[in-house]
Amino acid sequence: MITRPDGRFLTQRQIPKMTLIVTSLPQEALSNEWGQLSPDAALTLNAPGMDPLHVPLRSAPATEAELKQCTCWEWSGLAKDEGEDAAKWLTEFLGKPVRLVRYVGQASEGSAEANPKRRACEPEFGNGTETMFADGYPYLLTTESSLEDLNRKVPQPMDMNRFRPNIVIDGSVPAWDEDNWQSFELGGGPDRAVKFHSLKPCSRCKVTTTDQETGEVGREPLMALGKFRSGKALGWSAMGSWKHEVFFGWNLGADSTGTVAVGDQLTVLKTRTAPMAA
């Protein structure tokens, strides 16, 4: 997570230029081989006009001196500062003093609610789910069908990367059908299926108006979503503020562990009849 020097988190909302930073990870960090990372395994950051920055993935346990107080939305707790090289690289590219911090909470260290190194999702919907430095939840699901429908309502079609999901369902499901999924599983077979449940619809902010390739900021898709995907239009009243918010995608929690891969089959286990009514 990128923060101000005082530990307050920063996003594309404040610095649209962050869209131009491209990250990459070694293959073993994207699979169940995480425990077998090589000593030189690194998170690599690239940006226009900059030499690559390599941030080691294997890290010694943080000392008290390396921990700093950070805030991410409603959460305030301790994270590990990644040092001067990372801070210097990001400060030079973004044009303002910033730091890079690492989430260090471990499940073995007690409940997320009681441990200053761990972050629990908002209690209204999280049901004890832990997340790290994502906006609010560990998983965000969208569907290609819903994006196709939205793209018919905006002046210029846009890519899915504006919405930053980590699970995307292909066009084999009807547009907006994800609103009805209360629980489902993804997997290549019964021995590798991971069960998920929908926690809350994802309200969208101005980050979606930023072109992820250029950093340019416009007005869509928020204008279009406001006409048919607002809480008022959808009849969603679980929170009073939802009346004026717009929604695309769903935040999830996981009910089991496992590996999810491209090409996995979606199986809906339970549907809801009245999404997110109070």
Side-chain angles (χ1 to χ4, degrees):
M1 179 170 70
I2 297 173
T3 74
R4 302 186 315 200
D6 64 2
R8 179 73 180 175
F9 78 119
L10 292 167
T11 72
Q12 293 178 32
R13 299 171 185 85
Q14 298 84 28
I15 313 176
K17 192 177 182 181
M18 287 172 63
T19 65
L20 303 181
I21 299 174
V22 178
T23 62
S24 60
L25 290 166
Q27 182 62 38
E28 61 265 31
L30 301 173
S31 69
N32 57 5
E33 300 173 3
W34 179 267
Q36 304 172 28
L37 290 175
S38 61
D40 59 349
L43 164 69
T44 300
L45 275 60
N46 283 281
M50 303 288 292
D51 292 331
L53 171 70
H54 303 289
V55 183
L57 290 178
R58 291 184 64 174
S59 176
T63 65
E64 291 301 319
E66 293 174 310
L67 295 178
K68 62 180 296 182
Q69 193 74 22
C70 297
T71 58
C72 182
W73 292 116
E74 76 295 334
W75 178 82
S76 180
L78 298 174
K80 180 181 179 180
D81 189 283
E82 290 286 36
E84 297 304 321
D85 288 346
K88 181 180 178 181
W89 191 96
L90 289 164
T91 294
E92 179 180 346
F93 180 68
L94 297 176
K96 59 177 61 182
V98 297
R99 308 292 299 184
L100 184 68
V101 299
R102 179 192 299 242
Y103 189 86
V104 292
Q106 300 290 330
S108 60
E109 297 177 325
S111 70
E113 290 83 356
N115 189 313
K117 299 177 186 176
R118 299 179 66 190
R119 181 183 173 212
C121 296
E122 52 190 344
E124 296 92 338
F125 302 100
N127 298 323
T129 299
E130 180 178 3
T131 191
M132 297 185 187
F133 292 142
D135 243 19
Y137 292 85
Y139 309 106
L140 173 60
L141 175 143
T142 62
T143 70
E144 291 180 347
S145 301
S146 296
L147 179 62
E148 291 172 3
D149 185 60
L150 173 61
N151 275 338
R152 289 190 282 267
K153 299 175 172 63
V154 295
Q156 296 291 330
M158 54 191 60
D159 295 329
M160 187 66 86
N161 60 10
R162 295 222 185 186
F163 300 97
R164 307 176 314 285
N166 48 18
I167 299 175
V168 180
I169 305 301
D170 67 18
S172 61
V173 300
W176 313 113
D177 197 47
E178 62 271 24
D179 290 346
N180 303 316
W181 305 341
Q182 187 166 337
S183 63
F184 59 91
E185 65 181 19
L186 298 172
D191 60 335
R192 198 175 61 78
V194 182
K195 294 182 179 180
F196 296 89
H197 60 279
S198 296
L199 294 171
K200 68 184 288 285
C202 186
S203 60
R204 309 314 307 215
C205 69
K206 70 177 184 179
V207 172
T208 59
T209 67
T210 303
D211 187 313
Q212 296 297 298
E213 302 301 323
T214 66
E216 296 178 358
V217 180
R219 302 180 69 188
E220 295 291 3
L222 295 183
M223 296 293 291
L225 288 171
K227 297 176 181 178
F228 76 113
R229 292 290 297 177
S230 68
K232 180 179 180 180
L234 294 166
W236 293 352
S237 55
M239 298 285 284
S241 63
W242 285 10
K243 180 179 180 180
H244 303 293
E245 294 178 4
V246 298
F247 299 91
F248 186 98
W250 278 79
N251 296 299
L252 312 175
D255 296 320
S256 61
T257 59
T259 300
V260 173
V262 173
D264 280 354
Q265 182 70 31
L266 165 77
T267 302
V268 178
L269 303 175
K270 185 177 182 180
T271 59
R272 54 168 62 87
T273 55
M276 309 313 296

